[in-house]
């Protein structure tokens, strides 16, 4: 339809004739709307219909189906003509700034009251070609119609429309087809304790039906003697809505499970799962898993558990690999103070040309004859293709008095190639609140080599705001009976000064040949300083560490700065900076800037949003391609 610019009244009068076309288009485009998981509040894209005036402007009609949210609802175009919109809700005209707000630059529409799920909003607006841009960011416009809902069943219709992401749009709005998915969901109650659910998704863009569609059927039944379930899921090789529907593309899965109610303390269950790849061409691999489980409680002192998992992988070339894993476990209480656990694990793998078997037998015993004494021990035997290996560990922990704690560990490992022995004893003495002493001795022996470590560490608090600590570890080693004078000794000292209420705390330390928690010794000297302060809602921490290696010319340093702001009792914003430098034959420097937000969700969860940017320098030159990282974490507190 083409109109002259000079006759504006006639142009607007003719729009009434065009509404018939627009209304018909709007009703047909509802099937092109989208759905999202229940409860998700995402920007909502419309189902658009346009009417073009070649020599002046274009008129577009967008239709939205309510989701019980005020928005944001995103128009098909941004940069539209301000004040040109006409918005109705279920045929009722709405007023700007009173019933809704519209940003013509971004095309974002927000209602003052939620658009309910049974309501449909329609907006007509105009824009000048060349001045507006299409909102083709792939936003979802959720839509769901409940076809019927009765006591024993329900059926709903869903639609999902997603424009092609990043696709070029022609001046008349045409572009490559995106995703248009039609979904049918069904739920039927076969009996009082049996439910059948089904989902069918069809791609309205056409093509091969099996490749572009997905189906999911699941049934669960509960009877007086057990629980049974079965399911079938299939997503075609060209299925494009895996993230939105939860059905994986190019996969077919068939599964069944059965669990019987315990009878005289004995419970049995079995499962079957078969997953097949569905490539666009040729045959895919198939993985079949059979599982059985049997558990029993024989009185109050004995528990049995037996499981078997049979996994078979069939490759497209006809080859097959099988793996059978058997697990048997017995938990036994031996009186009130002693408990024992025996485990047998047997794993057999066969790929058609070779077969491997691994069996592990273990026995663990734990006893606490008195409150101040705990004894534990484990013996393990491993049988594999390379031979047998036996290992044993015994640990003793005792607290004869409130000021003295003793612990001892004995470990042995024997195989066909070597024998290793470990012995360790620790004594901790706390004569008062201001002093604690710890002594340790370790002996490691293997293949004629022996290393003995003896050490003492102490921590003292002469004043309330001062803490001093330090210690040493002396090492003597022999290689094939010959003393080795190169064994490094460790010395460390640390000092901490703090003011009340965490206003300021300074910590410094020095270590020669430091040893980490795993017993690894670094041939280097290390110095570090740290600062921590809390001022109202702000937390400031900083630190500097430098380590110089003895055997090489390598020097490494780390500078850390962090500032935290507790916005509320549940929310904290943290910004940090870290600089690391490594000097050997050259100079490598790395700078990392990060920002994170942590929020406590209730009493169980922590939600963390963070982002970081890192850049490196080599010999004073900036390296290209900085590293950007963003993380979203949900933690469970327990």
């Amino acid at each position: 339809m083409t109109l002259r610019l000079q006759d504006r009244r006639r142009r607007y009068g003719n729009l009434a004739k065009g509404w018939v076309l627009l209304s018909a288009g709007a009703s047909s485009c509802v099937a092109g709307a989208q759905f999202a998981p229940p409860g998700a509040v995402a920007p909502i894209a419309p189902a658009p219909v346009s009417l073009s005036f070649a020599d002046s402007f274009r008129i577009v009609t967008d239709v939205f189906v309510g989701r019980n949210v005020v928005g944001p609802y995103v128009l098909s175009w941004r940069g539209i003509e301000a004040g040109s919109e006409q918005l109705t809700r279920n045929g009722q005209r709405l007023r700007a700034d009173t019933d809704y707000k519209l940003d013509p630059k971004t095309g974002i529409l927000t209602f003052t009251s939620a658009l309910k799920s049974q309501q449909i909003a329609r907006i007509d607006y105009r824009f000048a070609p060349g001045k507006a841009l299409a909102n083709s960011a792939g936003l979802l416009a959720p839509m769901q119609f409940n076809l019927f809902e009765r006591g024993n069943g329900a059926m709903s219709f869903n639609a999902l429309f997603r424009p092609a992401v990043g696709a070029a749009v022609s001046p008349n709005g045409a572009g490559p087809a995106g995703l248009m998915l039609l979904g049918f969901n069904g739920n039927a109650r076969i009996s009082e304790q049996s439910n059948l659910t089904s989902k069918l998704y069809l791609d309205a863009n056409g093509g091969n039906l099996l490749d572009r569609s997905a189906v999911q059927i699941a049934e669960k039944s509960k009877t007086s003697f057990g629980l049974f379930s079965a399911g079938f899921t299939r997503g075609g090789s060209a299925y494009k809505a895996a993230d939105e529907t939860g059905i994986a593309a190019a996969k077919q899965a068939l599964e069944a499970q059965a669990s019987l109610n315990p009878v005289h303390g004995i419970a049995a269950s079995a499962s079957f799962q078969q997953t097949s790849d569905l490539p666009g061409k040729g045959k895919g691999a198939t993985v079949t898993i059979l599982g059985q489980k049997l558990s029993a409680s024989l009185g109050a002192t004995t528990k049995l558990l037996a499981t078997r998992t049979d996994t078979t992988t069939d490759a497209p070339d006809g080859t097959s690999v099988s793996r059978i894993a058997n697990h048997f476990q017995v938990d036994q209480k031996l009186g009130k103070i002693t408990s024992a656990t025996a485990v047998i694990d047997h794993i057999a793998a066969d790929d058609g040309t070779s077969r491997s078997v691994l069996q592990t037998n273990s026995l663990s015993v734990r006893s606490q004859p008195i409150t101040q004494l705990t004894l534990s021990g484990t013996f393990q035997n491993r049988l594999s293709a390379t031979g047998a290996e036996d290992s044993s560990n015994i640990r003793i922990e005792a607290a004869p008095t409130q000021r003295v704690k003793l612990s001892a560990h004995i470990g042995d490992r024997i195989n066909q190639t070597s024998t290793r022995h470990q012995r360790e004893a620790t004594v901790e003495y706390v004569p008062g609140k201001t002093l604690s002493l710890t002594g340790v001795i370790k002996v490691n022996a293997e293949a004629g080599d022996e290393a003995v470590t003896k050490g003492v560490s102490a921590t003292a608090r002469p004043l309330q705001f001062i803490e001093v600590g330090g210690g040493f570890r002396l090492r003597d080693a022999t290689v094939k009976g010959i003393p080795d004078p190169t064994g490094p000794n460790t010395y460390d000292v640390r000092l901490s000064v703090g003011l009340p209420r965490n206003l300021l705390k300074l910590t410094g330390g020095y270590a020669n040949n430091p040893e980490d928690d795993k017993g690894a010794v670094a041939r280097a000297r290390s110095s570090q300083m740290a600062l921590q302060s809390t001022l109202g809602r702000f937390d400031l921490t900083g630190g500097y560490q430098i380590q110089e290696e003895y055997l090489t010319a390598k020097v490494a340093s780390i500078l850390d700065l962090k500032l935290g702001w507790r916005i509320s009792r549940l929310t904290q914003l943290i910004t940090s900076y870290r600089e690391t430098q490594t000097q050997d034959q050259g100079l490598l420097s790395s700078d990392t800037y990060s920002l994170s937000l942590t929020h406590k969700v209730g009493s169980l969860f922590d939600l963390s949003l963070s982002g970081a940017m890192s850049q490196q320098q080599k010999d004073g030159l900036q390296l290209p391609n900085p590293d950007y990282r963003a993380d979203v974490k949900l933690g469970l507190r327990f």
Side-chain angles (χ1 to χ4, degrees):
M1 182 182 295
T2 303
L3 299 178
R4 296 182 180 273
L5 290 173
Q6 294 85 347
D7 191 358
R8 291 182 178 269
R9 285 193 231 170
R10 184 178 179 184
R11 179 180 61 193
Y12 287 118
N14 288 337
L15 291 181
K17 299 179 181 179
W19 292 135
V20 177
L21 299 176
L22 291 173
S23 300
S27 61
S28 63
C29 73
V30 166
Q34 316 168 25
F35 82 98
V41 179
I44 306 170
V49 177
S50 63
L51 187 63
S52 177
F53 296 82
D55 56 353
S56 56
F57 56 84
R58 291 185 57 206
I59 293 180
V60 175
T61 296
D62 289 339
V63 178
F64 300 96
V65 180
R67 284 180 53 210
N68 293 322
V69 295
V70 297
Y73 295 83
V74 182
L75 305 185
S76 302
W77 294 84
R78 63 182 183 272
I80 67 175
E81 183 177 337
S84 66
E85 76 277 0
Q86 293 185 4
L87 181 60
T88 60
R89 179 174 55 199
N90 284 2
Q92 181 182 1
R93 181 73 178 269
L94 302 182
R95 293 174 297 176
D97 298 329
T98 301
D99 301 318
Y100 69 90
K101 292 183 179 180
L102 175 64
D103 185 353
K105 295 181 180 180
T106 60
I108 295 179
L109 171 67
T110 305
F111 293 91
T112 55
S113 60
L115 187 64
K116 299 180 180 180
S117 58
Q118 301 299 328
Q119 294 177 331
I120 296 179
R122 167 176 168 169
I123 181 172
D124 308 296
Y125 57 92
R126 64 177 180 265
F127 65 87
K131 295 183 179 180
L133 298 175
N135 281 327
S136 57
L139 300 176
L140 298 180
M143 189 209 68
Q144 176 172 322
F145 288 138
N146 294 324
L147 301 180
F148 71 87
E149 185 173 358
R150 298 178 181 175
N152 294 329
M155 177 174 286
S156 62
F157 169 77
N158 303 95
L160 185 150
F161 173 75
R162 183 176 61 204
V165 178
V169 179
S170 61
N172 61 1
L179 174 65
M180 182 178 292
L181 198 69
L182 306 180
F184 298 89
N185 300 334
N187 185 13
R189 179 177 295 181
I190 302 175
S191 63
E192 184 177 354
Q193 294 183 323
S194 180
N195 291 321
L196 176 65
T197 59
S198 61
K199 298 179 181 180
L200 174 63
Y201 299 101
L202 303 175
D203 195 330
N205 285 326
N208 188 290
L209 179 62
L210 292 178
D211 291 344
R212 301 176 67 90
S213 63
V215 62
Q216 186 178 69
I217 302 174
E219 194 275 338
K220 292 184 179 180
S221 298
K222 185 177 181 180
T223 66
S224 59
F225 52 86
L227 179 65
F228 303 89
S229 63
F232 173 78
T233 303
R234 187 186 190 281
S237 58
Y239 184 63
K240 298 181 179 180
D243 294 336
E244 293 80 5
T245 62
I247 301 178
K251 293 285 185 181
Q252 177 177 293
L254 179 64
E255 57 184 11
Q257 295 181 352
S259 177
L260 301 179
N261 294 332
V263 178
H264 301 295
I266 302 176
S269 62
S271 63
F272 167 80
Q273 182 178 1
Q274 186 178 72
T275 304
S276 302
D277 294 334
L278 302 176
K281 296 182 180 180
K283 183 179 179 181
T286 300
V287 179
T288 305
I289 302 176
L290 297 174
Q292 301 92 35
K293 180 180 179 180
L294 181 67
S295 60
S297 297
L298 307 179
T301 60
T302 306
K303 293 183 179 180
L304 303 177
L305 176 64
T307 62
R308 177 183 175 90
T309 304
D310 190 344
T311 305
T312 303
T313 303
D314 298 318
D317 59 1
T319 59
S320 178
V321 177
S322 63
R323 182 180 184 272
I324 300 176
N326 297 311
H327 175 83
F328 181 74
Q329 179 176 329
V330 180
D331 295 318
Q332 180 70 45
K333 289 185 177 181
L334 306 174
K336 297 182 180 180
I337 62 174
T338 306
S339 62
T341 300
V343 177
I344 300 176
D345 286 316
H346 185 277
I347 301 176
D350 190 350
D351 61 359
T353 59
S354 61
R355 187 174 186 271
S356 61
V357 177
L358 173 63
Q359 179 169 318
T360 303
N361 311 306
S362 64
L363 175 64
S364 301
V365 180
R366 186 180 186 275
S367 179
Q368 191 172 14
I370 58 177
T371 306
Q372 298 83 3
L373 180 63
T374 302
L375 306 174
S376 60
T378 301
F379 173 78
Q380 185 181 82
N381 170 257
R382 289 170 56 90
L383 301 174
S384 62
T386 59
E389 179 179 286
D390 296 332
S391 61
S392 62
N393 289 277
I394 299 175
R395 183 172 294 275
I396 303 173
E397 296 180 355
T401 67
Q402 294 183 351
R403 298 187 176 187
V404 178
K405 293 182 180 180
L406 306 174
S407 65
H409 172 253
I410 301 175
D412 296 291
R413 187 195 66 190
I414 302 173
N415 55 35
Q416 293 180 342
T417 58
S418 65
T419 301
R420 182 178 181 181
H421 304 285
Q422 292 179 310
R423 306 290 187 266
E424 181 179 350
T426 303
V427 179
E428 183 179 351
Y429 176 55
V430 184
K433 296 182 179 180
T434 60
L435 180 64
S436 65
L437 301 172
T438 302
V440 62
I441 180 171
K442 295 181 180 180
V443 178
N444 292 330
E446 183 176 6
D449 299 340
E450 184 177 270
V452 180
T453 302
K454 295 171 286 186
V456 175
S457 61
T459 301
R461 189 184 292 271
L463 298 175
Q464 183 179 2
F465 55 89
I466 296 179
E467 182 178 294
V468 181
F472 64 87
R473 294 202 174 189
L474 306 179
R475 298 177 177 86
D476 297 323
T478 60
V479 179
K480 307 300 182 182
I482 302 175
D484 182 10
T486 62
N489 296 327
T490 297
Y491 303 91
D492 66 89
V493 63
R494 61 188 181 277
L495 173 65
S496 177
V497 179
L499 297 179
R501 299 181 181 179
N502 294 326
L503 293 179
L504 181 64
K505 184 177 181 180
L506 296 174
T507 304
Y510 172 82
N512 188 40
N513 297 319
E515 180 179 359
D516 61 14
D517 297 337
K518 298 181 180 180
V521 180
R523 300 299 304 273
R525 61 172 175 263
S526 174
S527 304
Q528 58 183 0
M529 293 185 63
L531 177 147
Q532 182 178 353
S533 177
T534 300
L535 298 173
R537 293 180 175 269
F538 294 92
D539 297 327
L540 175 63
T541 58
Y544 180 75
Q545 178 180 353
I546 183 170
Q547 180 169 300
E548 303 178 32
E549 297 186 0
Y550 288 129
L551 304 181
T552 64
K554 183 177 179 180
V555 179
S557 63
I558 300 176
L559 173 64
D560 273 314
L561 297 174
K562 183 181 295 184
L563 177 63
W565 175 32
R566 292 188 299 276
I567 302 175
S568 66
R569 185 174 58 88
L570 303 177
T571 307
Q572 186 178 26
L573 182 68
I574 300 175
T575 179
S576 64
Y577 167 75
R578 163 172 281 204
E579 180 192 58
T580 61
Q581 288 188 352
T582 303
Q583 302 179 19
D584 40 23
Q585 296 179 351
L587 175 61
L588 178 63
S589 177
S590 175
D591 296 330
T592 302
Y593 305 87
S594 65
L595 182 66
S596 65
L597 178 68
T598 303
H599 179 72
K600 294 182 179 180
V601 184
S603 59
L604 294 178
F605 299 97
D606 287 335
L607 177 63
S608 176
L609 308 175
S610 63
M613 188 273 287
S614 298
Q615 55 186 9
Q616 293 183 331
Q617 293 182 352
K618 180 68 174 178
D619 293 332
L621 298 178
Q622 188 77 33
L623 298 182
N625 303 324
D627 180 48
Y628 297 92
R629 185 180 71 254
D631 294 319
V632 179
K633 297 180 181 179
L634 182 63
L636 176 64
R637 297 196 301 271
F638 58 90

